[in-house]
Amino acid sequence: METITKTEELRVLCEKLRQYDYVTVDTEFMRDSTYWPQLCLVQLCSPDAADTGAAVDPLAEGIDLTPLFELMQDESVIKVFHAARQDIEIFVHLNGKVPHPVFDTQVAAMVLGFGDQVGYETLVNKVARKNIDKSMRFTDWSRRPLSTKQLSYALSDVTHLRTIYEDFHERLAANDRAPWLFEEMERLTDPGIYTVDPAEAWLRLKTRSNSPKFLAVAKALGEWRETEAQRKNLPRNRILRDDTLLDIAARQPQNDKDLDKTRGVGRNFGASKQGMAIIEAIQNALAQPQETWPQPKARTELPAGIGPTVELLKVLLKLCSEEKGVAQRLVASSDDLQNIAADDNADVAALHGWRRELFGQYALRLKHGQIALKLEKGEVALVELEQNS
């Protein structure tokens, strides 16, 4: 097993890998006590069957990861991941750029009918016909030296991935679904997904009031907390817990004594530097013109009586997805079904592109009585209905 600890070694490895059409990639990281993931290991492997993979140690003293970042940006080499979102986030944080082009075997598995968010171990069993030793799954990847067992486990994540990728690549080409996956990969590699704007952080909160005043304070506190978490590289809840933040937003204390009465804060918290910053954030929010305060989202009132239509669309979605071997979740969400039931021209993914061809067109035809669902020998089937002239 090759472990890369020097920049020159990494440069030589990446130059070799850039000669291939694709490279399999995985990362090991820690995030229990930090805001940003701490990259602890990068595993790489070429399509060469004799290649047992290489582990790059980003914690090695003096190593420069620039050759790795250049490989991630090489448009001639497909970067193959499984469940790529967190891996991509790490590269964006370290380099400011999204790896491209990318092939995510988890998404490909959904396109090919393996189910919703199928795990890597399941694919290794079903496609590569191998078993993975799971004993190292929850190991501390930041500790050095790494054991042979740790490295063996880590590298299995990229060696078996070759078999899965090549199998999926052939299946996608055989059933003309490569464009479906390409569409999903373009979404996955959208830089906007990985940009965390503190001013938008409050949208993650499960707010319990639609009062613009409450929302203005919650927005200010969310932005302050996100900024602090990024600056200190600490998890959000280590700065301030969600429930405490929402309690403060509801009470809107104006001084340290009032803040100390909030459930979940320590004694004399209000007089601390953090407490004073919270009070200042509240005061600044309330000082803004009321017309600038966030407004509650207008609730979409769905037409009365569409419940049964939505239930029929759920059955239809399951039928279409199973017939075509595609994960339901990839085709349409519950909100999509409600919107389709309410509006033929709803702006939802299920009414566009391949999703419309697979499901959306049938959903509209079912709504308008052009087709129906029936039970035939215990199974649901579609039936064409005669149309009155």
Side-chain angles (χ1 to χ4, degrees):
M1 291 176 286
E2 185 180 6
T3 304
I4 305 298
T5 59
K6 300 184 183 303
T7 304
E8 181 60 21
E9 295 172 343
L10 179 60
R11 184 188 65 77
V12 171
L13 171 67
C14 291
E15 283 184 357
K16 182 185 75 172
L17 292 175
R18 291 174 77 168
Q19 299 174 17
Y20 295 97
D21 293 335
Y22 76 87
V23 57
T24 54
V25 190
D26 189 38
T27 66
E28 307 297 344
F29 59 90
M30 303 291 289
R31 202 174 194 168
D32 297 338
S33 59
T34 59
Y35 179 92
W36 307 108
Q38 179 190 9
L39 181 61
C40 300
L41 201 68
V42 181
Q43 304 94 274
L44 302 164
C45 194
S46 74
D48 187 343
D51 187 357
T52 57
V56 179
D57 185 356
L59 302 183
E61 184 176 356
I63 193 169
D64 181 354
L65 297 180
T66 299
L68 175 62
F69 298 147
E70 291 173 347
L71 173 63
M72 292 298 107
Q73 295 302 308
D74 191 330
E75 290 289 331
S76 68
V77 183
I78 298 171
K79 274 64 71 174
V80 180
F81 296 86
H82 181 82
R85 186 178 292 262
Q86 287 188 305
D87 300 303
I88 292 175
E89 180 189 8
I90 290 172
F91 286 111
V92 172
H93 172 59
L94 293 176
N95 188 44
K97 297 179 180 179
V98 177
H100 197 272
V102 164
F103 186 107
D104 188 331
T105 55
Q106 185 177 72
V107 180
M110 295 172 71
V111 171
L112 293 170
F114 282 80
D116 293 343
Q117 292 188 312
V118 62
Y120 179 68
E121 181 186 352
T122 299
L123 290 184
V124 171
N125 289 336
K126 289 185 175 181
V127 179
R129 306 296 181 185
K130 301 289 184 181
N131 293 312
I132 297 176
D133 180 358
K134 298 180 288 185
S135 61
M136 292 289 105
R137 178 172 294 177
F138 301 110
T139 191
D140 183 350
W141 294 103
S142 66
R143 297 186 65 178
R144 293 297 183 270
L146 294 172
S147 69
T148 300
K149 194 170 184 179
Q150 284 177 301
L151 291 170
S152 178
Y153 169 82
L155 290 173
S156 70
D157 284 347
V158 287
T159 53
H160 296 319
L161 194 55
R162 291 179 302 199
T163 304
I164 297 168
Y165 167 72
E166 291 176 0
D167 180 276
F168 283 4
H169 186 267
E170 291 181 4
R171 293 193 197 202
L172 289 166
N175 59 19
D176 296 322
R177 292 186 185 180
W180 300 11
L181 183 69
F182 176 80
E183 182 181 327
E184 297 308 305
M185 293 302 95
E186 288 303 292
R187 293 180 183 177
L188 183 66
T189 54
D190 177 3
I193 295 176
Y194 306 98
T195 302
V196 182
D197 182 359
E200 302 296 323
W202 71 284
L203 297 173
R204 301 170 179 264
L205 298 168
K206 295 181 180 179
T207 53
R208 51 202 179 203
S209 170
N210 285 328
S211 160
K213 185 177 182 181
F214 167 83
L215 295 177
V217 176
K219 180 178 186 295
L221 293 178
E223 181 173 0
W224 167 81
R225 182 179 70 166
E226 199 75 13
T227 301
E228 283 293 285
Q230 292 181 3
R231 184 178 68 84
K232 294 182 177 180
N233 195 23
L234 290 172
R236 297 179 188 92
N237 281 340
R238 288 275 292 275
I239 303 296
L240 195 69
R241 293 178 59 85
D242 282 5
D243 54 355
T244 303
L245 187 154
L246 292 172
D247 280 344
I248 294 172
R251 297 184 61 254
Q252 299 157 19
Q254 295 297 299
N255 56 58
D256 58 327
K257 290 186 173 60
D258 284 344
L259 182 56
D260 283 342
K261 296 176 184 177
T262 304
R263 181 179 58 184
V265 305
R267 180 178 298 180
N268 299 323
F269 174 79
S272 68
K273 184 177 180 180
Q274 189 171 346
M276 293 171 64
I278 289 173
I279 292 170
E280 182 180 2
I282 295 170
Q283 292 174 342
N284 288 340
L286 297 179
Q288 299 299 313
Q290 292 189 20
E291 58 268 24
T292 67
W293 289 354
Q295 298 299 310
K297 288 184 179 180
R299 295 185 62 183
T300 302
E301 294 295 335
L302 298 174
I306 69 166
T309 304
V310 173
E311 293 305 312
L312 282 175
L313 290 178
K314 288 180 181 179
V315 176
L316 177 66
L317 174 61
K318 187 174 182 64
L319 175 64
C320 291
S321 298
E322 288 186 353
E323 282 188 349
K324 298 298 183 180
V326 183
Q328 293 181 56
R329 176 177 175 178
L330 195 63
V331 179
S333 67
S334 295
D335 286 345
D336 287 348
L337 299 184
Q338 287 188 344
N339 287 321
I340 292 171
D343 181 2
D344 285 0
N345 299 307
D347 186 17
V348 296
L351 291 182
H352 298 282
W354 64 267
R355 291 176 175 83
R356 184 184 183 96
E357 181 181 347
L358 185 148
F359 166 73
Q361 62 172 321
Y362 299 107
L364 297 177
R365 295 187 68 203
L366 182 66
K367 271 185 66 178
H368 293 286
Q370 297 170 358
I371 58 175
L373 297 170
K374 70 173 182 177
L375 276 176
E376 191 174 76
K377 296 181 180 179
E379 295 184 356
V380 177
L382 284 179
V383 58
E384 292 281 345
L385 298 179
E386 294 184 5
Q387 301 301 306
N388 296 324
S389 57

